[in-house]
Amino acid sequence: MPFTVATWNINSVRLRMPIVERLLKEHAPDVLCLQETKVPDELFPEKAFRKAGYEHILFHGQKGYHGVATVARRPIELVEKRRFCEIDDSRHLSVRVQAGGKSVLVHNFYVPAGGDEPDPEINRKFRHKLDFVQEMNGVPASADESSASILVGDLNIAPQEHDVWSHKQLLNVVSHTPVETTNFEAMRKAGGWVDLMRLNVPAEQKLYTWWSYRAKDWEASNRGRRLDHVWSSANLLPDFTGYEILQAARGWQKPSDHVPVMAKFDLD
DNA sequence: ATGGTCGGCCCCCGA
């Protein structure tokens, strides 16, 4: 049995419970990291997760905005709910889980979207996004012979040319501007993180995890972006056996604009 | 074609 970790920005966990249950039933990840839960902790739908076999539930939520949660079929231990940029947004949660004799630290992130104007001088949300990514330098891929790290989430940046439907047309669009993509890749590499979704995929192959709600037909226009990511420490590479972007979920009833990404490891 | 659609929630903000 492989060890699987999935990430999904579900844009309101309460509204999206039916399709979250579908994911759990059809794909049964060992650990599921959710972003944009948009629910305060006291109203988190724990019962539905327990009923689906996910009895281990940790959340870091707030009213109305943001919010992350990590649920699992096996025990998870809370490590940290980190605060970034000295702002009390719920954007991070890390947990420890045992898999294949290793202790695995799983970070769940929701990076700020950054607003519309890609100029930190006039757009405080873009400034916040840049500062947040800078501060992620303080989250390295810690690892030794008995421990490893995984970092997943909606990181709201599509770093590579073929992580967007049109590199040229998105160069000045928040999520794909050079200042974002350059700093993002520098932070990832400095932290010792491996981009698992690109590891065995040619650079010229398009990869998307998000399709706008605003398209008339998201599938026909296919103007996607790879905003959701799965990273790991280098010592997990021998155990990494592949991943799947569950694109079909974009067409499920009342979908999120993001789809789940699920990575598999030969650990149990 | 410089629009368009969502979700939460207090009549607008963030994505």
Side-chain angles (χ1 to χ4, degrees), chain A residues 3-61:
Chain A
F3 173 68
T4 56
V5 178
T7 180
W8 197 7
N9 176 321
I10 29 81
N11 188 15
S12 171
V13 69
R14 287 175 290 181
L15 195 70
R16 229 60 82 183
M17 253 345 267
I19 59 170
V20 172
E21 285 162 0
R22 180 170 175 183
L23 173 81
L24 298 178
K25 190 171 182 182
E26 294 183 5
H27 297 275
D30 291 292
V31 178
L32 171 62
C33 296
L34 297 168
Q35 303 88 35
E36 275 207 276
T37 51
K38 291 187 174 178
V39 63
D41 291 347
E42 62 272 21
L43 296 178
F44 191 89
E46 285 188 76
K47 216 186 253 178
F49 281 97
R50 289 219 174 81
K51 201 175 169 192
Y54 289 73
E55 297 184 5
H56 307 278
I57 301 165
L58 291 167
F59 35 67
H60 182 197

Side-chain angles (χ1 to χ4, degrees), chain A residues 110-127:
Chain A
Y110 176 50
V111 172
D116 288 331
E117 186 54 58
D119 180 348
E121 300 303 319
I122 61 172
N123 175 8
R124 60 179 171 82
K125 289 185 228 166
F126 194 67
R127 175 80 267 158

Side-chain angles (χ1 to χ4, degrees), chain A residues 67-142:
Chain A
V68 292
T70 299
V71 302
R73 299 193 290 171
R74 61 179 78 187
I76 49 176
E77 176 196 345
L78 174 66
V79 174
E80 192 179 15
K81 299 175 180 182
R82 195 183 284 219
R83 186 165 171 267
F84 284 79
C85 306
E86 296 174 356
I87 296 172
D88 284 323
D89 284 351
S90 300
R91 297 185 177 276
H92 169 265
L93 174 65
S94 57
V95 309
R96 194 170 291 285
V97 60
Q98 303 302 318
K102 275 197 176 86
S103 171
V104 183
L105 180 61
V106 181
H107 290 279
N108 178 356
F109 268 98
Y110 176 50
V111 172
D116 288 331
E117 186 54 58
D119 180 348
E121 300 303 319
I122 61 172
N123 175 8
R124 60 179 171 82
K125 289 185 228 166
F126 194 67
R127 175 80 267 158
H128 178 214
K129 183 179 195 175
L130 296 179
D131 291 345
F132 192 102
V133 170
Q134 182 63 32
E135 205 169 318
M136 285 176 74
N137 278 294
V139 186
S142 61

Side-chain angles (χ1 to χ4, degrees), chain A residues 37 55 130 195 208 211 232 235 254 256 260:
Chain A
T37 51
E55 297 184 5
L130 296 179
D195 177 358
Y208 309 142
W211 291 261
S232 84
N235 69 341
K254 297 267 291 165
S256 169

